Amino acid sequence: MAKIVKHAPLLPVILFALLTSGVQSSALAINPPVTPDTPINAKNTQPQKQSSMVVQEQKEKPVTGYETIEWVKLIPKEDLDALMNPPEYLNDIQDGSEQDQFSNQVQNAIEAASNDTYQQALVSTKVLTEMNGKKIKIPGFIVPLEFDDEQNVIQFFLVPYFGACIHEPPPPPNQMIYVTYPKGLKVDDLYQAFWISGKLQTALFEDQLGTAAYTMNMDEFELF
């Protein structure tokens, strides 16, 4: 017997934060950009050496020509509206209760939810066709899917919040991007957010960890 997705009300909060706060949302402000600790001495025209992390970040910055977007730019308005207004019946089911697992009450609720726009939005593969072929730059967290022989990530899901598909349920498919990068990306810390740049495609990709309604061949990346 299936069960209503009940823990997903957190998702509208995340989406709302992205919508109102832009790319500096709390969901992505885990590792703010590093800046030089020591300013240039006014009496010495030679700039002091920056940390290796700063130098690395500068080298990784993508070339121009990519439109910086937020995650809400990938989701149709009707889906976003549904996620921002979860139904009241979710609050009536207590965590760990019998009703939260298997019961006639839940089964009836599932049947009643056949036309529930909220439940539909949680698994929506609807995309914005105007995003197809666009060169974009978007921030997110990496969920590795495939590695090369040197353990560099060559295929991954890009998601808007940490823990998605691993510790938390996956976002809706139209809030996930399947990314390929044959050169390989070294990911030592899954808490690290990245700016990812590349050409976006409206194509469906399915994996046991989740389903993405968008795909991308990554061109460049930058530490968030």
Side-chain angles (χ1 to χ4, degrees):
M1 182 182 299
K3 120 174 175 177
I4 290 180
V5 178
K6 177 174 175 293
H7 38 254
L10 290 176
L11 183 60
V13 177
I14 296 166
L15 292 172
F16 182 74
L18 288 170
L19 178 64
T20 56
S21 303
V23 296
Q24 294 298 330
S25 68
S26 59
L28 289 173
I30 301 295
N31 292 300
V34 179
T35 56
D37 295 329
T38 308
I40 297 176
N41 191 327
K43 295 181 181 180
N44 185 354
T45 58
Q46 296 296 326
Q48 298 188 14
K49 186 179 296 184
Q50 297 179 353
S51 68
S52 59
M53 184 176 292
V54 175
V55 174
Q56 180 186 23
E57 184 177 347
Q58 291 174 343
K59 290 181 179 178
E60 292 165 351
K61 285 185 177 179
V63 296
T64 58
Y66 297 92
E67 178 185 353
T68 300
I69 70 166
E70 303 169 16
W71 283 93
V72 291
K73 298 296 184 181
L74 300 180
I75 188 170
K77 184 179 184 302
E78 59 269 24
D79 285 349
L80 180 60
D81 290 344
L83 292 172
M84 297 294 291
N85 297 279
E88 293 184 0
Y89 65 74
L90 293 178
N91 297 325
D92 297 332
I93 304 176
Q94 297 181 358
D95 291 331
S97 66
E98 182 180 354
Q99 288 78 13
D100 190 30
Q101 303 300 322
F102 302 103
S103 70
N104 291 332
Q105 178 180 344
V106 174
Q107 179 61 27
N108 291 337
I110 293 174
E111 294 174 356
S114 59
N115 294 320
D116 187 334
T117 56
Y118 177 80
Q119 294 289 333
Q120 293 173 358
L122 290 175
V123 294
S124 176
T125 58
K126 295 178 183 177
V127 295
L128 297 177
T129 55
E130 61 266 28
M131 298 302 296
N132 188 50
K134 274 199 171 185
K135 296 177 68 176
I136 67 166
K137 173 183 176 182
I138 187 169
F141 292 92
I142 288 176
V143 180
L145 297 177
E146 187 171 332
F147 300 84
D148 61 17
D149 294 337
E150 298 179 353
Q151 293 304 300
N152 295 314
V153 180
I154 57 175
Q155 296 180 26
F156 60 90
F157 281 136
L158 188 70
V159 295
Y161 56 92
F162 174 75
C165 307
I166 302 175
H167 305 296
E168 300 290 340
N174 54 23
Q175 289 290 275
M176 295 176 63
I177 304 175
Y178 166 67
V179 183
T180 58
Y181 188 59
K183 295 180 181 178
L185 173 62
K186 190 68 173 178
V187 180
D188 295 321
D189 185 0
L190 294 179
Y191 281 95
Q192 173 66 60
F194 288 84
W195 287 101
I196 301 297
S197 301
K199 188 175 181 179
L200 193 68
Q201 301 290 338
T202 54
L204 198 67
F205 176 84
E206 295 180 315
D207 182 84
Q208 61 181 358
L209 292 180
T211 300
Y214 293 94
T215 66
M216 175 193 290
N217 293 324
M218 186 176 82
D219 295 327
E220 302 285 346
F221 69 92
E222 178 184 355
L223 298 178
F224 183 83

